[in-house]
């Protein structure tokens, strides 16, 4: 069974500035990179695109001004999520955890019912800087987190279980040699988070975690 949760929390963030070269271990330059994760670049343009999607969605909301104000430092927070996505993907792969399209659809449908409808759930996620087009990916992450936790015998509903899951992902993170452009901060393997942003664990905003999927 999976506990239902909603979204990876992201901290607030300001307008994106032009990024310099990223210097990785061994002083190797990675032009145009916001980060390098397991040898693969996350480009500044990819990060900018994700930030623009969030801002465009927020600007369409009646609460646009408040949403933008509450998500001021959007660039590092978004990059934090993009790096964490890759760490989680690798951790799930190593643990033999897979998530199907049907799993995602079922989880999302239940969360929408709990939130009071699809539009209401989108509004809640947008408050955490999750654009509508990223919702399925966020849902998939929640199921991957549950799967990894189950594979190591960790109960995500308990502090000890969260700590055990964090330690597992920290081990994965260290293996991936993550380098971040200093403009956006420094990656902390032990916390599996980009310094200065909020922790990447799930935050319930719908009450849906009280329901269970069998």
């Amino acid at each position: 069974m999976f506990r239902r949760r909603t979204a990876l929390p992201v901290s607030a963030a300001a307008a994106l500035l032009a990024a310099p070269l990223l210097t990785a271990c061994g002083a190797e330059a990675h032009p145009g990179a916001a980060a390098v994760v397991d040898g693969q670049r996350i480009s500044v343009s990819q990060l900018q695109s994700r930030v623009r999607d969030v801002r465009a969605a927020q600007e369409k909301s009646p609460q646009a001004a408040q949403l933008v104000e509450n998500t001021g430092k959007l660039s590092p927070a978004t990059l934090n999520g993009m790096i964490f996505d890759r760490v989680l993907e690798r951790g799930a792969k190593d643990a033999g955890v897979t998530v199907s399209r049907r799993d995602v659809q079922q989880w999302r449908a239940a969360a929408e019912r709990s939130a009071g409808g699809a539009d209401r759930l989108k509004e809640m996620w947008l408050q955490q800087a999750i654009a509508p087009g990223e919702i399925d990916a966020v849902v998939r992450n929640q199921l991957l987190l549950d799967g990894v936790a189950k594979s190591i015998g960790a109960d995500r509903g308990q502090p000890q279980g969260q700590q055990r899951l964090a330690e597992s992902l920290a081990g994965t993170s260290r293996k991936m040699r993550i380098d971040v452009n200093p403009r956006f901060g420094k990656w902390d393997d032990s916390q599996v988070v980009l310094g200065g942003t909020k922790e990447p664990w799930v935050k319930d905003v719908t009450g849906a975690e009280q329901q269970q999927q069998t």
Side-chain angles (χ1 to χ4, degrees):
M1 295 195 299
F2 295 120
R3 286 186 178 274
R4 295 194 186 284
R5 296 172 171 84
T6 56
L8 291 174
V10 288
S11 61
L16 202 68
L17 299 175
L21 302 183
L22 169 66
T23 301
C25 296
E28 180 184 2
H30 298 274
V36 178
V37 182
D38 205 21
Q40 300 298 312
R41 298 166 73 253
I42 296 175
S43 70
V44 172
S45 62
Q46 288 173 316
L47 176 59
Q48 289 174 329
S49 177
R50 187 76 65 88
V51 170
R52 283 195 298 266
D53 287 346
V54 173
R55 287 293 185 235
Q58 289 177 334
E59 288 170 1
K60 295 177 182 178
S61 170
Q63 292 80 39
Q66 181 179 356
L67 288 172
V68 172
E69 181 180 358
N70 291 342
T71 54
K73 296 180 180 177
L74 191 54
S75 299
T78 301
L79 182 59
N80 176 67
M82 294 173 79
I83 296 172
F84 182 78
D85 289 350
R86 297 192 181 192
V87 174
L88 176 58
E89 188 75 33
R90 171 71 176 274
K93 181 179 179 181
D94 290 348
V97 175
T98 60
V99 171
S100 70
R101 177 63 181 167
R102 183 182 180 189
D103 293 334
V104 171
Q105 291 173 337
Q106 289 178 338
W107 195 103
R108 180 169 176 173
E112 288 172 349
R113 289 193 299 271
S114 180
D119 289 341
R120 178 58 180 153
L121 188 62
K122 288 178 183 179
E123 291 174 6
M124 291 177 172
W125 263 316
L126 195 56
Q127 292 172 8
Q128 298 191 52
I130 302 298
E134 295 298 318
I135 291 176
D136 280 355
V138 170
V139 169
R140 182 172 181 273
N141 277 355
Q142 309 321 303
L143 293 172
L144 288 176
L145 281 165
D146 281 334
V148 172
K150 183 178 180 180
S151 74
I152 61 174
D155 181 357
R156 292 182 63 203
Q158 300 297 324
Q160 299 91 335
Q162 287 280 22
Q163 180 62 30
R164 188 170 180 180
L165 178 58
E167 291 171 354
S168 175
L169 291 175
T172 300
S173 179
R174 282 189 286 270
K175 291 188 296 185
M176 297 179 75
R177 300 172 60 91
I178 298 169
D179 292 303
V180 176
N181 188 312
R183 180 175 295 276
F184 302 108
K186 183 177 181 180
W187 184 258
D188 184 344
D189 286 316
S190 64
Q191 299 297 318
V192 201
V193 69
L194 184 62
T197 62
K198 293 182 181 180
E199 63 178 15
W201 308 114
V202 178
K203 178 166 127 184
D204 179 56
V205 294
T206 67
E209 70 173 307
Q210 297 177 4
Q211 300 183 26
Q212 302 287 322
Q213 176 182 356
T214 57

